[in-house]
Amino acid sequence: MRLRLFPIFLALFCSFQVSATPVDTGYREPPPEVIALVDMAPPVTASVSPDGATLLLLAPPALPSLADLAAPELRLAGLRFNPDNHAPAQPRYFSSLRLQSVAGEPNPVIIDNLPDTPRVLAAAWSPDGQHIAFLQIEQERVELWHVDVAEATARRWSEHPVHAAWGQGWGSVARSYMEWSPDSDSVIVRALPPKRTTPPARDPVPTGPVVTETRGRSAPTRTFQDLLSDRHDELLFEHHFTTQLLRIDLDGNTQPLGQPDLIPGFSVAPDGEHILVMRLTPPWSYAVPFSRFAHALEVWTADGELTHRLADNPVADNLPIAFDAVIEGPRSVGWRGDADAMLVWVQAVDGGDPANEADYRDHVYQHSAPFAGQPERVLRSPYRVRWMAAGDGETALVWQRWWATRMERVSRIAPDHLDRAPEILWERRYEDRYADPGTPTTFRDARGQSRLLIDDGALILFGQGASPEGNRPFVDRLSLADGSSERLWQSESPYYEQPVSLLDPELGQLLTRRESQDQPPDFFVRSLDDGTLRAVTRTEHPLPDMLGVHRELITFEREDGVMLSATLLLPADYDSERDGPLPTVVWAYPREFLSADAAGQLADSPYRFNRLSYWNAQFLVTQGYAVLNNATMPVVGSEGVEPNDRFVEQLTMNAEAAISAGVERGVTDPERVAIGGHSYGAFMTASLLAHTDLFRTGIARSGAYNRTLTPFGFQSEQRTLWDDPELYFAVSPFFHIHRMSAPLLLIHGMEDNNSGTFPMQSERLYQAIRGLGGTARLVMLPLESHGYRARESVLHMLYETVEWLNEHLAGD
């Protein structure tokens, strides 16, 4: 029976045409009070100098323009980049750099001689804290710049264009834009090769078909986008991503390292005499992005000569789709921070497949230069090793997790004394936020290496402090001798205060970021000894007209006893007894859990700054709506039952509880409630409208609605379409949209590159509603990806939302 269902509905799907008559054209703007939220200055971020004496304050611009998004773009091997300057496409950057003394008054120093229009992609302190390197994006190149911290002056450091299109991230070797030498005398970057040819042109006459083949080798993959598709793509990839590692000293002198090649990742050893290099090797795959391409892991000398080859990992195009599936070869390779030149890496011993029975899943190895003999195994783990942090030869910590059980283990090892058995510091379910012990703090040593901070035999832990009262960040001291814990400090109402950096462990000086509902975030120095507090920065309220908006973190219970929460926002000067219940917008994003207790835990604070966001539904409070923002929508599994087996049922219970919470407080009119969400929240929105009559209308942005188009799993679902076709049918709102009577606003970026949320998903859902005689509006935003960036696009999105709700929700 279940096998006969799908041909019917797939045929229905294929019969729809991608065509519709446009309703109107041109970009529109929402009311002025909403525009003010969009143009509000974003929060400043801070980077702490290695000695803790200075903050580099980085301020991003509000939003780019459509002209910025219309810059040239190529899409190759899962990467989107600008071929004119070899920066990431639509880059996020900083438009202001200032220096602030931690010991001085809140009066930032302006850096002289910055670029006329700063567009800073990344910045990095030198290990000695006397210099800052940053990358400046220009129209036709990315430039390396230098800041003299003492003089507060900047200069262009090199004439060589920097290649920044690889971006930053994690892989077999971490990807960073640049790395300082341990002696602070030079920096290494990827540069464009000095002798570059013109990009290969596509022959308008095909030379033959594109042929791919599979023969009995299982190779399931999730839905990747922007992949290589033919020989011309391969040539373009090689042309644009062949880079030269280049050392640039403080005087601007350059030294090429090795030969130009495709090098997404590199890392300098603590001794400065070795460089770990990840180098991609052909043939190139058309099935997976570059992060899964075959690659060599090599160690070069400081002059760029090959001295050791750790591994040749093959293309990873046949990984199981399970979340703990990994490659079999070395991964997460890096340098041990407390040693001169010792490689550390993780390697699967279960074939990389979590479905295989095995006592141990991963081994951790270390191998010291000159890499003679065999590597040393430092740990065997029954879980997947996520990362390792070293303090010294006596203490290193290894984080391990297993998705299927949500278990986390943190082990302490003595990497210089492998005869000692590992100790388990803690083992717990990581979805249990209330029991999270925190994260051990690190510091940058004199060579710029990140190492565990060990204070007189104890770790210093920073934690979010999730609790039934909301998040209350803390600082703990955990004894390595007996495991006892001492609370040194915890955030107290009416403030939300987060630890940022322990500036001086001996003096107990802590850098924090502190805010309240009416005070925007600022940086402070707090004494852990006597609790005194001193402001380092001072920020004015960006929109004082919004001070009257009511914000409250509320909790409520769904019918099966699972606790839920939401942030309730009410218009300024609203009085429920005087004004009566309001039309209400519920904005949410579903999440899966294995336990009801974890699902019911709070993950926010009632004391966060009341910065009204335009990205979710908070901005609608300015239009007279009540808003239940970030309403929790847990989907809980149980023994032998996966969360998605009861997806629609649990979404319905969540929605009913959220509406009841507003009604019981006298602020929500149950006949005038809208539901909305982005991405998986859009999937939730369409599902609730298709299966319930709880909502008058819905807003679904950049979602996926037909799960047969993501047949090898979606979100947290690991089963395939062929494992359980009834599940895919049941949870796909596309196959139930004939039951939907409420109007639906669909918004989608036309260039969405998020896995699974192809723009076609919204187009096909709209065509289904249109064909069935329903009410819907489809808004496709040109040049936009999964999240919308251009000011014109964001304003139009908000205009559409306001107009839609005014028509379908505001009225009686």
Side-chain angles (χ1 to χ4, degrees):
M1 175 59 133
R2 63 183 185 180
L3 294 178
R4 296 207 303 264
L5 286 171
F6 278 86
I8 297 172
F9 282 97
L10 288 174
L12 174 66
F13 168 82
C14 295
S15 69
F16 291 124
Q17 303 298 312
V18 190
S19 64
T21 303
V23 178
D24 48 32
T25 59
Y27 287 95
R28 306 292 182 85
E29 294 185 350
E33 59 272 17
V34 178
I35 297 176
L37 296 178
V38 173
D39 293 336
M40 182 168 48
V44 171
T45 61
S47 174
V48 186
S49 64
D51 61 3
T54 307
L55 300 184
L56 174 63
L57 302 178
L58 304 109
L63 285 175
S65 68
L66 271 175
D68 293 324
L69 268 62
E73 179 182 274
L74 284 180
R75 305 171 184 181
L76 298 169
L79 292 161
R80 294 186 175 187
F81 66 99
N82 183 332
D84 287 355
N85 60 14
H86 290 88
Q90 302 183 16
R92 298 181 185 274
Y93 57 84
F94 299 101
S95 56
S96 170
L97 275 70
R98 296 175 296 165
L99 297 171
Q100 171 65 53
S101 169
V102 172
E105 292 297 316
N107 187 22
V109 175
I110 303 298
I111 299 173
D112 291 332
N113 200 38
L114 286 171
D116 293 337
T117 304
R119 301 175 80 229
V120 177
L121 181 63
W125 287 94
S126 63
D128 63 9
Q130 298 181 28
H131 314 276
I132 297 171
F134 70 85
L135 298 184
Q136 163 70 9
I137 303 173
E138 298 291 348
Q139 186 171 353
E140 296 182 353
R141 55 195 277 149
V142 175
E143 299 176 341
L144 179 66
W145 281 64
H146 171 273
V147 174
D148 184 310
V149 176
E151 299 296 328
T153 59
R155 61 180 172 88
R156 190 168 61 184
W157 196 345
S158 172
E159 294 294 329
H160 291 269
V162 175
H163 186 285
W166 288 112
Q168 298 189 106
W170 295 98
S172 290
V173 176
R175 302 194 314 277
S176 58
Y177 288 116
M178 54 196 156
E179 282 217 11
W180 279 94
S181 62
D183 59 10
S184 300
D185 285 344
S186 64
V187 71
I188 297 178
V189 298
R190 298 183 205 84
L192 295 177
K195 297 179 181 179
R196 300 184 74 235
T197 60
T198 58
R202 182 180 290 278
D203 190 334
V205 179
T207 59
V210 177
V211 179
T212 58
E213 183 178 71
T214 182
R215 294 199 179 197
R217 176 174 172 265
S218 176
T221 58
R222 298 210 174 203
T223 48
F224 298 118
Q225 301 206 46
D226 303 334
L227 302 178
L228 301 180
S229 61
D230 56 26
R231 178 56 183 160
H232 181 252
D233 278 358
E234 293 185 48
L235 295 174
L236 280 176
F237 179 61
E238 292 170 351
H239 173 83
H240 285 290
F241 285 90
T242 296
T243 59
Q244 173 70 64
L245 286 189
L246 193 67
R247 185 191 304 278
I248 306 173
D249 68 18
L250 293 176
D251 294 326
N253 300 312
T254 61
Q255 177 191 6
L257 306 176
Q259 297 299 313
D261 214 322
L262 282 79
I263 302 175
F266 68 96
S267 177
V268 180
D271 67 357
E273 299 300 320
H274 301 79
I275 305 170
L276 171 64
V277 174
M278 175 184 177
R279 185 173 55 82
L280 300 186
T281 56
W284 315 124
S285 173
Y286 294 1
V288 293
F290 82 94
S291 58
R292 294 193 180 189
F293 281 5
H295 56 273
L297 298 171
E298 302 172 342
V299 177
W300 296 0
T301 66
D303 294 326
E305 297 293 328
L306 176 65
T307 185
H308 176 61
R309 196 179 187 99
L310 173 63
D312 286 285
N313 286 329
V315 61
D317 62 354
N318 64 334
L319 289 184
I321 62 172
F323 287 103
D324 280 316
V326 296
I327 63 173
E328 292 188 61
R331 69 181 198 277
S332 301
V333 187
W335 299 106
R336 207 178 104 185
D338 65 311
D340 284 341
M342 180 176 285
L343 288 176
V344 180
W345 69 90
V346 184
Q347 199 156 348
V349 292
D350 62 354
D353 187 347
N356 292 336
E357 294 292 331
D359 293 331
Y360 296 100
R361 299 290 179 178
D362 278 347
H363 285 177
V364 180
Y365 295 95
Q366 63 182 18
H367 203 187
S368 183
F371 311 108
Q374 294 299 310
E376 298 176 299
R377 188 183 68 207
V378 300
L379 182 73
R380 297 187 299 178
S381 175
Y383 304 140
R384 285 284 178 247
V385 173
R386 302 301 178 180
W387 63 290
M388 172 177 167
D392 53 32
E394 299 287 329
T395 299
L397 301 184
V398 183
W399 277 259
Q400 308 137 76
R401 285 189 170 186
W402 193 248
W403 167 261
T405 58
R406 310 301 198 270
M407 291 301 297
E408 174 186 78
R409 174 186 289 184
V410 175
S411 300
R412 179 195 180 190
I413 59 175
D416 284 353
H417 306 279
L418 298 181
D419 56 323
R420 301 178 188 173
E423 304 173 22
I424 298 177
L425 283 191
W426 65 75
E427 188 163 15
R428 66 184 195 90
R429 291 189 184 275
Y430 59 82
E431 68 177 10
D432 182 1
R433 292 184 290 264
Y434 290 177
D436 188 350
T439 302
T441 60
T442 59
F443 72 101
R444 292 281 177 182
D445 67 13
R447 300 193 292 190
Q449 300 300 308
S450 177
R451 294 168 56 187
L452 285 174
L453 177 61
I454 302 174
D455 179 33
D456 193 22
L459 300 173
I460 305 299
L461 306 177
F462 289 177
Q464 278 293 330
S467 73
E469 291 76 42
N471 288 350
R472 294 183 57 206
F474 64 81
V475 177
D476 277 2
R477 191 173 189 274
L478 178 66
S479 170
L480 291 172
D482 59 15
S484 61
S485 180
E486 175 190 3
R487 180 131 307 173
L488 303 179
W489 169 83
Q490 188 163 19
S491 179
E492 296 181 357
S493 63
Y495 296 98
Y496 177 74
E497 190 172 357
Q498 294 175 286
V500 175
S501 176
L502 193 57
L503 301 175
D504 189 328
E506 293 185 4
L507 297 179
Q509 286 193 327
L510 178 71
L511 181 71
T512 68
R513 188 174 185 266
R514 188 175 191 245
E515 61 191 279
S516 68
Q517 284 204 6
D518 295 334
Q519 295 178 1
D522 269 310
F523 293 95
F524 290 79
V525 172
R526 173 179 287 279
S527 170
L528 294 178
D529 294 332
D530 58 21
T532 56
L533 197 65
R534 178 174 54 81
V536 178
T537 61
R538 185 172 293 119
T539 304
E540 299 297 327
H541 197 295
L543 281 179
D545 292 344
M546 300 296 174
L547 282 170
V549 170
H550 175 82
R551 179 181 185 272
E552 179 185 0
L553 181 61
I554 65 172
T555 58
F556 45 95
E557 189 175 308
R558 75 183 193 187
E559 67 178 47
D560 63 354
V562 175
M563 292 300 300
L564 307 177
S565 64
T567 298
L568 172 65
L569 295 104
L570 299 170
D573 301 324
Y574 167 74
D575 182 281
S576 59
E577 293 186 3
R578 180 192 65 208
D579 302 323
L582 298 173
T584 299
V585 179
V586 179
W587 196 265
Y589 189 97
R591 298 189 186 277
E592 294 88 351
F593 295 88
L594 291 187
S595 76
D597 288 343
Q601 294 178 353
L602 291 182
D604 200 357
S605 167
Y607 306 116
R608 300 295 296 266
F609 175 56
N610 198 8
R611 181 187 179 91
L612 299 183
S613 171
Y614 60 80
W615 185 244
N616 45 48
Q618 293 183 23
F619 76 95
L620 290 167
V621 75
T622 67
Q623 304 304 296
Y625 296 100
V627 176
L628 287 169
N629 199 57
N630 288 336
T632 53
M633 290 275 174
V635 182
V636 186
S638 58
E639 188 69 30
V641 178
E642 292 293 323
N644 283 332
D645 292 344
R646 300 174 56 221
F647 182 77
V648 173
E649 174 190 349
Q650 295 197 55
L651 283 189
T652 303
M653 287 193 292
N654 296 330
E656 290 172 340
I659 295 171
S660 296
V663 172
E664 290 169 3
R665 285 166 173 77
V667 300
T668 292
D669 179 351
E671 301 301 319
R672 293 186 297 164
V673 183
I675 182 69
H678 186 92
S679 193
Y680 206 50
F683 175 62
M684 167 208 71
T685 296
S687 296
L688 284 169
L689 294 188
H691 291 283
T692 77
D693 295 320
L694 295 171
F695 299 99
R696 181 176 284 194
T697 187
I699 301 166
R701 298 193 327 225
S702 297
Y705 311 103
N706 181 352
R707 287 304 174 187
T708 68
L709 299 180
T710 56
F712 287 103
F714 56 91
Q715 203 70 4
S716 296
E717 181 56 62
Q718 300 183 89
R719 290 168 291 185
T720 73
L721 168 63
W722 298 275
D723 292 331
D724 196 337
E726 287 186 339
L727 169 71
Y728 277 68
F729 172 80
V731 302
S732 295
F734 181 87
F735 296 123
H736 307 277
I737 211 67
H738 58 290
R739 302 173 183 167
M740 188 182 79
S741 58
L744 177 62
L745 174 63
L746 292 161
I747 304 176
H748 214 121
M750 293 177 69
E751 311 300 330
D752 193 338
N753 66 340
N754 183 59
S755 178
T757 55
F758 293 94
M760 178 178 64
Q761 291 272 6
S762 288
E763 294 170 342
R764 291 296 190 261
L765 184 66
Y766 170 76
Q767 291 292 341
I769 297 171
R770 179 171 175 265
L772 293 167
T775 301
R777 181 177 175 93
L778 173 64
V779 180
M780 302 297 292
L781 298 173
L783 303 177
E784 295 292 352
S785 185
H786 192 59
Y788 321 138
R789 302 253 353 257
R791 183 176 185 271
E792 296 90 333
S793 302
V794 170
L795 292 179
H796 189 85
M797 171 194 77
L798 300 174
Y799 161 82
E800 293 281 358
T801 302
V802 170
E803 290 297 308
W804 186 262
L805 292 178
N806 285 345
E807 177 182 358
H808 296 287
L809 185 67
D812 295 332

